[in-house]
Amino acid sequence: MNRKYRKTVIAGNWKMNMLASEIKPFIEELKANMPAKRACDVVLCVPGVMVPAMVKSGKDAKVAAGGEDCSCFEKGAYTGEVSAAQLADVGAKYCVVGHSERRQYHGEDDMLVNAKAKALLAHGVNPIICVGESLEQREADLTMEYVAYQVKTALSGIDATALRHCVIAYEPIWAIGTGKTATAEQAEEVCEGIRAVIRKIYGARPARAVSILYGGSMNAKNAAELLAQPDIDGGLIGGASLKPADFATIIAAANQE
């Protein structure tokens, strides 16, 4: 982390778990376990139907609400979709786009991720843009080529001013929900490479201001080591964000100097 130039973000991604009625007791337990002072922004990204409940309960604990996905369309006959405007209207401050599960199960490509990020930015919602390689790509030594393409495409047409509101989350697909985690050195190498790609497009100053998160099975045990890396500015947390005590431990790990 380098808090001199950029903010640290600890974001939970609940996926299709929990109920709106469970949010208040979760936040109360989280608040009881969190450090009195913290050096990071805390976000919980939840299914769209639960965002209002997260906004309401998260306020006292200074936990921002986020969505898990949005449509690239402003409005229209898109049954079942949730627009960026609708997320903003109910108080979402962040939204995940391009998660590997959306790419895998819903066939989302990089240009669609770019369109969703632009839609969110147009309504004042900070996109958390996910990128990452498969095990096959890593074993073929194609990690940076693939991730660089994802980053360039996701940021296409986004100017330096809007870039300040973007968060990049590196999530090696092979480390999501598998119990496997990239070593701190592997994670840092890719996050450093992502910053280099952004630097080449926008220049040094905008690149050093972008928060880059690690999203491959960060948990209470490995968070401190991962967050000690200079180019890892937080985490996109899956399973551990469903456990208040574990999530609080990760938040505390972000307090390190």
Side-chain angles (χ1 to χ4, degrees), residues 81-144:
E81 293 290 286
V82 176
S83 73
Q86 290 169 333
L87 285 174
D89 188 58
V90 294
K93 300 300 182 186
Y94 289 82
C95 183
V96 177
V97 292
H99 193 278
S100 61
E101 289 159 2
R102 296 294 308 180
R103 295 174 187 263
Q104 178 182 356
Y105 302 137
H106 300 275
E108 297 190 1
D109 61 21
D110 296 295
M111 292 307 298
L112 180 57
V113 174
N114 172 252
K116 290 184 175 187
K118 288 178 177 176
L120 290 166
L121 289 166
H123 289 282
V125 180
N126 302 304
I128 300 175
I129 302 168
C130 298
V131 299
E133 84 283 12
S134 66
L135 182 60
E136 291 76 17
Q137 288 160 339
R138 173 162 281 274
E139 290 179 341
D141 199 25
L142 294 172
T143 294
M144 275 318 306

Side-chain angles (χ1 to χ4, degrees), residues 6-7 167-170 190-196 198 207 210-214 231-235:
R6 50 192 176 264
K7 63 184 175 182
V167 175
I168 306 295
Y170 167 54
V190 179
C191 291
E192 181 183 20
I194 289 170
R195 200 174 307 283
I198 297 171
V210 175
S211 297
I212 300 175
L213 316 184
Y214 176 71
D231 288 288
I232 297 178
D233 307 306

Side-chain angles (χ1 to χ4, degrees), residues 1-137:
M1 297 177 292
N2 189 332
R3 284 192 286 271
K4 180 179 178 181
Y5 296 117
R6 50 192 176 264
K7 63 184 175 182
T8 303
V9 180
I10 301 298
N13 177 21
W14 278 7
K15 307 187 180 184
M16 200 174 70
N17 292 296
M18 304 289 277
L19 301 172
S21 59
E22 296 176 292
I23 290 176
K24 185 177 180 180
F26 178 97
I27 292 293
E28 288 174 349
E29 186 176 348
L30 176 64
K31 189 176 179 181
N33 283 277
M34 276 197 296
K37 294 183 179 180
R38 62 179 193 245
C40 63
D41 287 359
V42 179
V43 186
L44 280 169
C45 297
V46 298
V49 69
M50 292 160 58
V51 170
M54 183 59 72
V55 171
K56 182 178 180 180
S57 294
K59 193 175 296 182
D60 288 342
K62 296 183 179 178
V63 174
E68 295 180 359
D69 187 45
C70 77
S71 173
C72 65
F73 298 105
E74 182 70 16
K75 59 182 177 180
Y78 303 103
T79 300
E81 293 290 286
V82 176
S83 73
Q86 290 169 333
L87 285 174
D89 188 58
V90 294
K93 300 300 182 186
Y94 289 82
C95 183
V96 177
V97 292
H99 193 278
S100 61
E101 289 159 2
R102 296 294 308 180
R103 295 174 187 263
Q104 178 182 356
Y105 302 137
H106 300 275
E108 297 190 1
D109 61 21
D110 296 295
M111 292 307 298
L112 180 57
V113 174
N114 172 252
K116 290 184 175 187
K118 288 178 177 176
L120 290 166
L121 289 166
H123 289 282
V125 180
N126 302 304
I128 300 175
I129 302 168
C130 298
V131 299
E133 84 283 12
S134 66
L135 182 60
E136 291 76 17
Q137 288 160 339

Side-chain angles (χ1 to χ4, degrees), residues 210-228:
V210 175
S211 297
I212 300 175
L213 316 184
Y214 176 71
S217 296
M218 182 183 284
N219 57 51
K221 293 181 179 179
N222 61 28
E225 183 182 10
L226 287 162
L227 293 171

